[in-house]
Every structure is written in C-alpha cells, then in structure tokens.
Amino acid sequence: MHTRERRVVITGMGTLTPIGIGLKAFWEALVAGKSGVGYITQFDASGLDTRIAAEVKGFDPTEYMEKKEVRRMDRYAQMAVAAATMAIQDAKLDLDSVDRERIGCWIGSGVGGIHTLEEQARTLVERGPDRISPFFVPMMIANMASGQVSIMFGLKGPNACTVTACASGAHSIGDAFRIVQRGDADIMLAGGAEAGVSLLSMAGFCAAKALSRRNDEPERASRPFDADRDGFVMGEGAGILILESLESALDRGARIYAELVGYGATADAYHITAPAPGGEGAAQAIRLALQDAGLEPHEVDYINAHGTSTELNDYYETLAIKAALGEAAENVAVSSTKSMTGHLLGAAGGVEAIATVMAIQEGIIPPTINYEKPDPRCDLDYVPNVARRKEVRVALSNSFGFGGHNAVLAFKRYDP
C-alpha cells in the first residue's frame, strides 16, 4: 500500500536520561522539575572552564546485552540498544509474530562514538598504529546505533541514521514517519542517541564558548529563556519511539499514546553555529509541520522548545514561534525540558518527542525550571518552574542544529 495517507501512531517509548532511566522514572522527574546536572564523573574535568554536565547515572549496559557486545559498542550505541529494548517492551511488540522485513530502524546521532575516537587517538599517539582496535571504526561511526539495534532484534526493514547535530533525533523521527506513511515499513524504531560527555567534546564546546560556566551551581546552570542564561549544559542519553501504522497497531491491539501528524524540515542557509536572524528557518519549519498536519496555529496547545539556554537560540526561537503562530503564540504553553536534562545533542529530538507525547497522554506540561529572571525579549508563556495540568490535544517538538538544520514534529491526541 504505497500512499501518503497512512496514519502513524506512537505505540512504545524507551528512554535513558540524566534524570531517569525508563519512561516512568523520566516522566516523574520531568513533572517534579528535577535537574540532572552535576559535576562530571566520567573523567577529570578540572582543566576545563566548564566542569558540569548532565550524565546518565546508574546505567548498566549488561542488563540489555552480553558483556562481549558491550565491549564492542561505544557508550552511545549501548544507550540506543537499551532504549530500543525498553521501547519494544513498552509496545508489547512480539517480534516472533510480526514480519521483521516490515520493521525498520532510524536512529540519529550528532557525533557517534566520540569516547572511542578519543581513546583510540590516545592509543595511536602513545602506543603506535599497530595497537589500534579492529573494532575502532565500527564502534565510532554514527550509524552504528541504528545498525546495532537492527542486528540485535533482527529488523530487516529500512535502516538509516541522520546526522544533523542537535536536530538528528527529530529528523530521524520525521524521516521514519515518512517511511511508515508511504508504506515502505509498518513499524519503525526512531529517535536518537548520544554520549557526548567526553574530554574532547567538552573541550571543543568550551573553546566555542557555548557552555554554561555556572560550575558552583550545577543544578541551576541550564536556564532556558532566563535573562541570566550563559550557555547550554552538555547531556547524554537516548530516546527511541515505536512509530507504527495505525492499521498495524489496531491489528495487534496495541496501546496508542498519540498520533504523529506532521513534520517540517528547513535550512537556515546562514551560519555554521548561529541561528538565522529572527529565527526565520525555525519559523518556516513550524509552519511546514502544521501545514503537513492540516492544523491551524490556534490549535497548538504546547510546544516543547529547543530551548538550549544560549543567548541567541532562546531569543530567536521565541521570535520564530511568534512569526509562525501569529496571535496564537500568546496562548501557547512553551517549555524547555533541557532545563532539566541538559542538551542531549543528537538524542535531544528523541527524548523531547517522548516528553511531548507524554504531555498529550497525561495532560501535564513539564516546566522550564530555573526560570527566575524574565528576559524582556523572551515574552511567551514558558511554564515557569512548576508543571502545569492542561489538556493537550496538539503539541509540537522543536529541534534546531548547528549548520542551520531545523526539524519540527507535530503530535496530536489519538482520535479513532
């Protein structure tokens, strides 16, 4: 059945985040406004300007795969496999009773195996080229999260990886959405995974002056839309959703969390790191997502903002929302869950899509924590500091990446 008309629903979700492992722990922490930011424990960060990050604590990859497999995967791929395992369990998907050639996998990552790259580069310099691991390349490359998940579960449908920096997870979900819509697969595992808390990665972002230096108050460092924001906080994790054709979901009696109804993608064509003035590329992506979904601006109840806690992003994203929604922007609730999780780079779009779907499912909007001093240039309703009960029928998830990549996903409450 090759048609753009197939409806696509979310039937399972799995997540590893700095505020909790698993959907329940993640959602409870979001609603409670809990910060996952602390001092870096994975390496000695004493020589860096920024010594804080949002790390995933208590993750044991051997709970999800054999020890031998763990040794052959970078941390980002281990997290992807773990999140995919949880999503499949959550969807109650019995892989033995479905056609695995109709199930695919599209998992994005901004950088892939940077821990492996750093470690092997050190080995090269200190011990010479003949000491490099034969697993170096397959552990490092960014497509291996998607590759490993497909191998682990025998998924033989379309398999790919999108690398668009901080928009990787959202683009991956959008591209997987199109695959199910047009009938090239019935089920897609989609989202993102990233493990960017490494010395090399942190040093690079420090050099670019992109990170918060609020080292004395880690939990208050990520403060999107606040006047005193001073950069983003590096995070890590994975978020994987099960996208399924409505027909397939109904056939197997699956629980449906929400429907994915629109996807907009644009380019700023402006600068390698700075967003386009006025957020024009982001605004167009929002317009396209709504157009794709057949929705009007006034129908949007909630936007999970990209909200990085950087000077330009938060201001321009505010302008983009106003430009795309017009007068309706005054009445929309906007929050940045990065205030709690930090910025998960390529995994952000996956984890934030899950937060957006849960807001629809539960009728609760997660807050923007650390919102203490309003920035007069950012004047929307950012759901400050405390979660809000509100019926959410339509919600957007925004993701914007270095290189001018913009992706917006539109979700809707499922109505049969």
Side-chain angles (χ1 to χ4, degrees), residues 233-369:
V233 175
M234 176 73 81
E236 61 174 358
I240 307 286
L241 299 88
I242 307 282
L243 275 53
E244 189 164 356
S245 74
L246 178 57
E247 191 181 19
S248 167
L250 294 176
D251 276 354
R252 64 181 195 85
R255 172 191 46 197
I256 294 172
Y257 282 104
E259 185 171 1
L260 178 51
V261 288
Y263 170 44
T266 63
D268 284 349
Y270 174 69
H271 188 269
I272 54 171
T273 55
E280 59 167 292
Q284 181 62 1
I286 294 170
R287 285 188 203 101
L288 290 173
L290 291 175
Q291 194 180 317
D292 188 43
L295 291 166
E296 295 297 325
H298 69 85
E299 293 180 87
V300 180
D301 299 304
Y302 170 53
I303 297 176
N304 185 294
H306 188 55
T308 56
S309 184
T310 58
E311 181 62 32
L312 283 181
N313 174 87
D314 297 2
Y315 173 44
Y316 285 167
E317 185 171 12
T318 298
L319 292 179
I321 291 168
K322 290 178 176 180
L325 299 191
E327 288 176 10
E330 291 172 28
N331 303 315
V332 72
V334 178
S335 73
S336 171
T337 45
K338 286 185 182 73
S339 58
M340 295 171 270
T341 64
H343 192 347
L344 310 191
L345 307 186
V351 168
E352 289 159 18
I354 290 172
T356 307
V357 167
M358 288 301 288
I360 292 172
Q361 174 77 14
E362 300 293 327
I364 301 175
I365 295 176
T368 304
I369 68 165

Side-chain angles (χ1 to χ4, degrees), residues 60-405:
D60 178 2
T62 61
E63 288 177 21
Y64 306 92
M65 64 201 91
E66 299 293 324
K67 273 203 174 76
K68 184 177 77 172
E69 297 298 333
V70 172
R71 286 197 299 273
R72 294 175 178 181
M73 276 185 225
D74 187 86
R75 183 171 169 86
Y76 94 101
Q78 294 168 5
M79 289 195 200
V81 168
T85 304
M86 291 181 222
I88 288 169
Q89 288 169 349
D90 185 48
K92 296 186 168 53
L93 189 56
D94 176 8
L95 292 172
D96 294 327
S97 67
V98 288
D99 180 359
R100 296 189 204 208
E101 291 188 356
R102 300 284 303 160
I103 305 180
C105 196
W106 201 306
I107 300 171
S109 186
V111 284
I114 197 158
H115 285 271
T116 300
L117 176 64
E118 200 173 308
E119 195 181 280
Q120 293 293 302
R122 198 176 293 122
T123 300
L124 178 68
V125 171
E126 292 171 3
R127 300 167 66 193
D130 57 346
R131 302 308 295 270
I132 292 296
S133 164
F135 293 103
F136 165 50
V137 173
M139 284 173 72
M140 176 199 68
I141 50 184
N143 65 304
M144 206 44 83
S146 210
Q148 289 282 19
V149 168
S150 110
I151 291 165
M152 186 74 74
F153 297 106
L155 311 179
K156 296 180 179 177
N159 188 284
C161 158
T162 301
V163 180
T164 46
C166 314
S168 303
H171 273 130
S172 296
I173 294 166
D175 293 333
F177 169 54
R178 293 283 184 246
I179 283 176
V180 180
Q181 265 191 332
R182 65 177 181 250
D184 290 347
D186 297 323
I187 298 173
M188 291 291 290
L189 276 70
E194 199 83 85
V197 185
S198 84
L199 182 56
L200 180 62
S201 174
M202 291 291 296
F205 281 111
C206 281
K209 303 276 188 281
L211 298 175
S212 169
R213 297 189 193 183
R214 208 179 277 261
N215 294 307
D216 51 342
E217 302 178 295
E219 294 186 351
R220 297 178 66 213
S222 184
R223 43 198 320 112
F225 306 107
D226 185 85
D228 291 337
R229 63 189 183 276
D230 72 328
F232 78 86
V233 175
M234 176 73 81
E236 61 174 358
I240 307 286
L241 299 88
I242 307 282
L243 275 53
E244 189 164 356
S245 74
L246 178 57
E247 191 181 19
S248 167
L250 294 176
D251 276 354
R252 64 181 195 85
R255 172 191 46 197
I256 294 172
Y257 282 104
E259 185 171 1
L260 178 51
V261 288
Y263 170 44
T266 63
D268 284 349
Y270 174 69
H271 188 269
I272 54 171
T273 55
E280 59 167 292
Q284 181 62 1
I286 294 170
R287 285 188 203 101
L288 290 173
L290 291 175
Q291 194 180 317
D292 188 43
L295 291 166
E296 295 297 325
H298 69 85
E299 293 180 87
V300 180
D301 299 304
Y302 170 53
I303 297 176
N304 185 294
H306 188 55
T308 56
S309 184
T310 58
E311 181 62 32
L312 283 181
N313 174 87
D314 297 2
Y315 173 44
Y316 285 167
E317 185 171 12
T318 298
L319 292 179
I321 291 168
K322 290 178 176 180
L325 299 191
E327 288 176 10
E330 291 172 28
N331 303 315
V332 72
V334 178
S335 73
S336 171
T337 45
K338 286 185 182 73
S339 58
M340 295 171 270
T341 64
H343 192 347
L344 310 191
L345 307 186
V351 168
E352 289 159 18
I354 290 172
T356 307
V357 167
M358 288 301 288
I360 292 172
Q361 174 77 14
E362 300 293 327
I364 301 175
I365 295 176
T368 304
I369 68 165
N370 299 320
Y371 186 78
E372 294 165 344
K373 186 175 170 188
D375 177 343
R377 298 182 310 164
C378 298
D379 55 357
L380 295 172
D381 171 10
Y382 303 113
V383 193
N385 305 312
V386 181
R388 180 184 303 167
R389 287 204 168 272
K390 183 187 176 188
E391 183 185 24
V392 181
R393 290 187 57 84
V394 171
L396 305 180
S397 183
N398 290 349
S399 295
F400 313 128
F402 279 3
H405 303 282

